[in-house]
Amino acid sequence: MNKKQLQSEQTKKRIVDAARALFVQKGYKATSIEDIVAATGSSKGNIYYHFKSKEGLFLTLLEDWDREWDEQWSQKEAQYTSVAEKLYGMTDHLVRDDMNHPLTKASDEFFNSDEISPEGEERIAQLVENHLQFFRKLISQGIENQEFKSENVEHVAITLESLFLGLSQMARKLTLDEALALYQSAIGIFLHGMVKKSA
């Protein structure tokens, strides 16, 4: 990486860090590009050079959040011996991350907005596809291990993604312990239809 590329990356990181702090503090709607300009000392043109819009900048933060979640889960996954155990372990990881992440409130606000651009919709679709790929791999592993009965992997992956999306919304006003109990119960119900019956 040459000096110009390095400076560009440093500027981009400074913008991302400042924007994250503002979105956490003020929320998605109340944070303006002007706020980010003031916080970074960068020009509006410089911000638009790195990110096409406030929406694009926020989606970058969501993509970073997804990557961080995957990295943290990868460090925990090996402690579980079965896919069923992984699913229960994952609920704990999801709840604690979702309820404690500083961007959760701004994220709810963003997704409830009716002003998401077609490009934004494409990036959101890619995030969902990444989740589905994660679940496809997990379910396929359970079937290969003969832990789960053979099912349509795509349908099961979509069901799991939908289940977790719904739980995330329903758990918003619950305490941490209540949310954990809800997620664990939901996985128990899900697995009841998935666990392979012994002969």
Side-chain angles (χ1 to χ4, degrees):
M1 189 180 290
N2 63 35
K3 188 177 178 183
K4 190 174 179 182
Q5 289 171 321
L6 183 62
Q7 286 174 336
S8 179
E9 283 302 308
Q10 287 170 341
T11 300
K12 190 174 180 180
K13 184 180 185 309
R14 192 171 71 248
I15 294 168
V16 164
D17 291 345
R20 183 186 291 109
L22 285 165
F23 286 130
V24 169
Q25 180 191 351
K26 300 179 71 172
Y28 178 73
K29 285 184 183 175
T31 299
S32 67
I33 288 291
E34 287 73 21
D35 293 329
I36 299 166
V37 166
T40 59
S42 294
S43 68
K44 192 182 284 190
N46 200 7
I47 290 169
Y48 285 133
Y49 171 78
H50 292 285
F51 306 96
K52 288 184 180 178
S53 60
K54 179 177 87 167
E55 174 192 85
L57 179 46
F58 191 74
L59 281 163
T60 297
L61 294 174
L62 292 184
E63 288 158 357
D64 287 347
W65 180 2
D66 244 29
R67 273 192 297 276
E68 288 161 14
W69 190 93
D70 284 342
E71 286 165 11
Q72 290 164 2
W73 171 248
S74 294
Q75 292 168 6
K76 291 182 180 180
E77 189 177 9
Q79 67 186 282
Y80 304 107
T81 55
S82 69
V83 175
E85 283 179 11
K86 285 180 185 181
L87 284 168
Y88 279 114
M90 202 170 66
T91 62
D92 184 78
H93 188 62
L94 276 167
V95 171
R96 291 180 193 281
D97 181 66
D98 202 30
M99 294 189 81
N100 294 316
H101 199 284
L103 281 174
T104 295
K105 190 176 176 184
S107 174
D108 287 346
E109 201 181 330
F110 174 75
F111 283 113
N112 287 323
S113 163
D114 55 1
E115 298 172 4
I116 298 174
S117 71
E119 185 183 342
E121 294 284 2
E122 280 182 30
R123 287 175 71 178
I124 291 165
Q126 186 56 55
L127 284 171
V128 172
E129 175 55 31
N130 294 344
H131 298 171
L132 290 174
Q133 187 57 38
F134 175 87
F135 288 130
R136 286 184 202 111
K137 185 178 173 186
L138 205 60
I139 297 305
S140 296
Q141 187 184 352
I143 293 169
E144 286 164 20
N145 294 348
Q146 297 193 343
E147 187 181 345
F148 294 165
K149 59 189 178 184
S150 185
E151 291 281 359
N152 183 312
V153 172
E154 185 66 18
H155 290 177
V156 179
I158 291 169
T159 300
L160 259 179
E161 172 68 359
S162 303
L163 178 65
F164 283 127
L165 276 174
L167 288 169
S168 174
Q169 292 305 306
M170 297 303 292
R172 283 290 183 258
K173 294 182 180 177
L174 302 180
T175 66
L176 180 65
D177 285 344
E178 287 170 340
L180 283 167
L182 174 65
Y183 274 65
Q184 298 271 310
S185 174
I187 287 300
I189 294 165
F190 170 81
L191 286 173
H192 183 70
M194 285 296 297
V195 175
K196 195 172 183 180
K197 303 277 191 298
S198 54

